Amino acid sequence: PFDIAAAYGMTDCLDLACNIDLTNWNIGGSWNFGFLKLSGFFSSIEAEGNRNQASRENWFIGGSMPFGQWNFKASYGQVKQSGIADGNKANQFAVGADYNLSKRTQLKATWAMMDNDSNAIFDFGVNSAGGLSRSASAYRYAESGTGYSFVDKETTVSSTGAGSRVQGIQLGVRH
């Protein structure tokens, strides 16, 4: 009735000048009580080099509850940066439901909201124009004159203003 997974990774010489080292570890798991399935996850990422340090921690807890043909879901999570990127924090809430039309076919709907603190610009990874932007799941470290910070893989421009609240709806069919 339970699943658990953990991982650890270490990258020396993240940048071309071999000044940045990256450490990443995470653990997650779930427990199925039959009437309710609870899940959780925690991750920590740290970059060090040139007397600077940046870190990011993110976690979530969630649950799903079957009820007839329905499966109701909810989750809450947080991402927080510290070190040179201190003060960037966001909370994410999500609720959703699945409806089984048959054993093979399922309708899905989810609503999520990410609430950024005053300095944070996290979003869901796709901006209003459909391009990539900064997100809690798409990042790398970049060196600047003052140290290291998390930036998007593709661009450092975000459609999300600091301190904004981002919402999204996901609809789908599984067959």
Side-chain angles (χ1 to χ4, degrees), residues 164-175:
S164 66
R165 179 177 289 168
V166 183
Q167 299 182 62
I169 296 175
Q170 178 187 38
L171 302 173
V173 176
R174 184 195 75 192
H175 183 72

Side-chain angles (χ1 to χ4, degrees), residues 52-67:
N52 292 304
Q53 181 178 2
S55 64
R56 174 182 287 178
E57 292 181 350
N58 57 304
W59 59 268
F60 90 89
I61 55 172
S64 63
M65 181 181 295
F67 186 76

Side-chain angles (χ1 to χ4, degrees), residues 82-145:
S82 59
I84 197 73
D86 200 25
N88 293 338
K89 181 174 135 184
N91 298 305
Q92 180 176 320
F93 310 91
V95 292
D98 303 332
Y99 183 77
N100 296 309
L101 295 172
S102 66
K103 287 185 180 182
R104 280 180 50 170
T105 307
Q106 183 181 67
L107 301 176
K108 299 172 159 278
T110 304
W111 168 83
M113 178 190 67
M114 187 171 295
D115 191 16
N116 287 295
D117 280 0
S118 62
N119 294 331
I121 57 171
F122 295 105
D123 64 21
F124 299 119
V126 177
N127 65 21
S128 58
L132 290 175
S133 61
R134 291 188 205 184
S135 84
S137 60
Y139 55 83
R140 68 177 171 82
Y141 286 96
E143 186 174 359
S144 67

Side-chain angles (χ1 to χ4, degrees), residues 35-50:
F35 69 96
L36 174 70
K37 183 175 186 178
L38 296 176
S39 56
F41 173 81
F42 179 83
S43 174
S44 175
I45 304 167
E46 292 185 7
E48 293 185 37
N50 288 343

